Amino acid sequence: MRLETTPEGLHVGTGVLVALLLWLFAPLLDPTGMDIHAAPSGTVPQAYLVDVTGGHGLDEVMSLSPMAWKPVGAGGVSFGYDTAAYWFTWKYRAGNDPAGTDLMVEIAYPMLDEIDLFAVRRTEKEWVVLGQWRMGDTLQFDARPFPYANFVVPFRAAPDSETQFVMRVRSTSAIQVPVTMWGEAEFSKYVAMNHLAIGAFLGAVASLLLYHFALWVTLRERMYAYLMIWMVFGAAMVLSLNGLAFQHFWPANPRWNDHALVACLI
């Protein structure tokens, strides 16, 4: 008995293989799915409030009663699509290292349009702003305080100090705000793991592309050309969703970046 492999059968099998590849690697490249924190204060924020009009500023928000803030549940921050502005807050207590504590504050959802992050400290009379940063995918990539696919802010906390972080988010995409306070060493490990996953993913896609290119040249079957195009768009979709395409391919074009994911899906 002899088994024959038809181009159609090979095409279907390869399509299943590519779909499986994207399904396996996409979680590794998903910035909200990395669970290797080992960080000074784990995952935040701790509380939030909704600014329906989007007109509140930092002074107005900080003057509100603590009862105006709602606690963030165990499921994290995910509010779907909303035109309102969301404010989030959390506190960080530094250790007694005389040199201070170097932190990397990561907002691991690169599709957010507008992010205003403030580090504040309470004195006897007033709130003092220690630092403020504006980020978002509507700005050019070079405008970020740290060059990374996700939004990252370096911050040094003084010894034995308590810093309150306050963040305003507004976006036309889903309001997902996974925030992690990393120590520098833990952040470096996290980035290394991400780079390893990205390299493995792109290497696997490149191998499949070369394989199908060889089949197309040999057999002249149009389906292999279509499959290569599908693989390229699938990989581009994953890279766009994770902010990697914006970082490496069109960092000066936020307007195109806003439409790139939809273009890849089409």
Side-chain angles (χ1 to χ4, degrees):
M1 179 177 172
R2 186 178 66 177
L3 295 177
E4 294 185 357
T5 303
T6 64
E8 290 77 8
L10 187 60
H11 168 63
V12 173
T14 304
V16 172
L17 177 62
V18 175
L20 180 62
L21 178 68
L22 291 173
W23 178 75
L24 288 173
F25 276 96
L28 294 178
L29 298 174
D30 180 6
T32 65
M34 302 295 290
D35 189 19
I36 55 171
H37 297 143
S41 62
T43 302
V44 285
Q46 298 162 348
Y48 75 96
L49 62 83
V50 183
D51 176 9
V52 177
T53 65
H56 288 352
L58 179 65
D59 292 338
E60 293 174 278
V61 169
M62 297 308 296
S63 66
L64 294 174
S65 165
M67 299 300 294
W69 296 86
K70 299 178 181 179
V72 172
V77 180
S78 182
F79 296 100
Y81 294 87
D82 198 339
T83 58
Y86 282 76
W87 287 84
F88 304 92
T89 187
W90 66 94
K91 294 180 180 180
Y92 174 76
R93 180 73 186 180
N96 58 4
D97 187 340
T101 304
D102 289 318
L103 302 172
M104 307 297 282
V105 185
E106 181 194 27
I107 302 101
Y109 188 61
M111 308 298 290
L112 296 173
D113 293 348
E114 302 174 10
I115 303 172
D116 290 287
L117 178 65
F118 305 88
V120 300
R121 187 172 298 155
R122 180 70 173 176
T123 65
E124 293 182 359
K125 297 181 179 180
E126 60 183 355
W127 290 97
V128 176
V129 179
L130 305 176
Q132 62 183 78
W133 304 267
R134 171 158 288 186
M135 300 167 284
D137 71 355
T138 58
L139 302 176
Q140 292 190 7
F141 188 85
D142 291 344
R144 300 187 182 192
F146 187 83
Y148 191 60
N150 296 333
F151 303 108
V152 177
V153 172
F155 179 78
R156 172 166 287 187
D160 293 317
S161 65
E162 183 176 80
T163 304
Q164 183 167 352
F165 290 91
V166 184
M167 182 170 62
R168 178 186 183 274
V169 174
R170 196 167 193 175
S171 185
T172 55
S173 63
I175 305 294
Q176 298 182 39
V177 191
V179 183
T180 303
M181 304 283 287
W182 296 97
E184 278 194 320
E186 289 78 15
F187 183 74
S188 296
K189 294 176 184 177
Y190 162 74
V191 171
M193 288 187 65
N194 253 347
H195 286 171
L196 180 63
I198 293 162
F201 171 75
L202 294 178
V205 171
S207 298
L208 284 171
L209 283 172
L210 288 174
Y211 171 68
H212 285 84
F213 179 75
L215 288 175
W216 177 67
V217 170
T218 303
L219 302 176
R220 293 297 179 181
E221 290 285 347
R222 192 179 303 173
M223 71 181 73
Y224 297 117
Y226 293 153
L227 191 54
M228 285 189 291
I229 295 172
W230 180 70
M231 282 189 285
V232 169
F233 274 85
M237 179 191 68
V238 173
L239 297 178
S240 295
L241 184 62
N242 290 274
L244 297 167
F246 189 28
Q247 179 182 6
H248 297 289
F249 298 133
W250 45 79
N253 197 341
R255 186 172 182 179
W256 162 246
N257 185 65
D258 193 42
H259 299 90
L261 181 61
V262 176
C264 292
L265 290 172
I266 293 175

